[in-house]
Amino acid sequence: MRIDIITVIPEILTGPLNQSILKRAQEKGLVKIQIHNLRDYSVDKHRKVDDYPFGGQAGMVLQCEPIDRAISSLKEQRDYDEIIYTSPDGEKFNQPIANQLSLYENLIILCGHYKGIDYRIREHLITREISIGDYVLTGGELAAAVMSDAIVRLLPGAIGDEQSALSDSFQDNLLAPPVYTRPADYKGWQVPEILLSGHEAKIREWEFQQSLERTRQLRPDLLD
Ligand code: ADE
């Protein structure tokens, strides 16, 4: 899989995308994440990529030309399954969307900034707009990092135990059951007896009941 991220602030992305599981997935060749500085596609001698909005509102808008040049240059090199724009207006990111995107070969994620991007780019080049929640970030970079993380960890081989990505919270619309590790007794705080019983089938059933109960209590909307 390949993810191309276009941004005006590459520095925000390099940290989160080059640690832990995302770093290892790239080293193993499961994914290539390429960050592109939008300013490299500017035609302006000062590498300017934004301008004032028509209509006189406050703030700056990312211009069509550098974005078009960046996306066109990537599209000349390969076909893309989706060209995603990170925006609070978009469909709300969730586990089913992460699952779907993880099956694709090539993705572009365009990070918005300032007041946004020229709307003509959204009309003509963007295939999908995604929000990571109902709040406004200063830019789309953190949203791109969140989506990339959720997608890459699903790639086969990215997580040591193949089962563990499937048993995550939300993967079957249920929250994950509680987990414990040694010691079984810490300051008198006991691990549930059943988990020490060695009785595989009963343990799985207990976990399922815990998941169901936690979902009922904490996220009943998931059961609808
Ligand atoms: N850009 C600004 N806010 C955002 C959000 N909530 N989700 C995705 N991109 C954004």
Side-chain angles (χ1 to χ4, degrees), residues 15-63:
L17 297 181
N18 289 298
Q19 310 291 328
S20 178
I21 287 170
L22 269 77
K23 181 182 180 195
R24 282 204 299 280
Q26 291 175 83
E27 286 168 353
K28 286 187 199 166
L30 304 177
V31 62
K32 175 153 184 63
I33 304 179
Q34 191 72 52
I35 301 168
H36 306 270
N37 189 337
L38 186 64
R39 293 186 194 284
D40 293 343
Y41 297 89
S42 170
V43 283
D44 177 80
K45 67 172 184 280
H46 302 295
R47 288 161 57 84
K48 194 166 96 84
V49 289
D50 59 353
D51 210 332
Y52 295 99
F54 283 121
Q57 306 96 316
M60 300 296 270
V61 176
L62 291 178
Q63 294 171 291

Side-chain angles (χ1 to χ4, degrees), residues 63-75:
Q63 294 171 291
C64 283
E65 190 169 10
I67 298 175
D68 185 22
R69 281 163 49 99
I71 292 177
S72 300
S73 136
L74 289 170
K75 280 166 77 174

Side-chain angles (χ1 to χ4, degrees), residues 85-90 112-113 130-144 147:
Y85 173 54
T86 57
S87 158
D89 308 354
H113 225 82
I130 299 181
S131 162
I132 61 162
D134 288 340
Y135 40 80
V136 181
L137 301 166
T138 52
E141 287 75 14
L142 293 175
M147 289 194 280

Side-chain angles (χ1 to χ4, degrees), residues 161-206:
D161 175 1
E162 294 254 343
Q163 273 304 307
S164 67
L166 291 176
S167 59
D168 290 336
S169 282
F170 296 113
Q171 209 41 287
D172 44 14
N173 265 5
L174 291 177
L175 301 185
V179 291
Y180 303 85
T181 188
R182 276 182 278 269
D185 179 340
Y186 177 72
K187 292 182 175 174
W189 305 342
Q190 305 284 346
V191 167
E193 196 95 24
I194 180 77
L195 295 176
L196 310 174
S197 70
H199 204 299
E200 180 81 16
K202 282 190 182 161
I203 292 173
R204 296 289 92 79
E205 176 58 23
W206 177 86

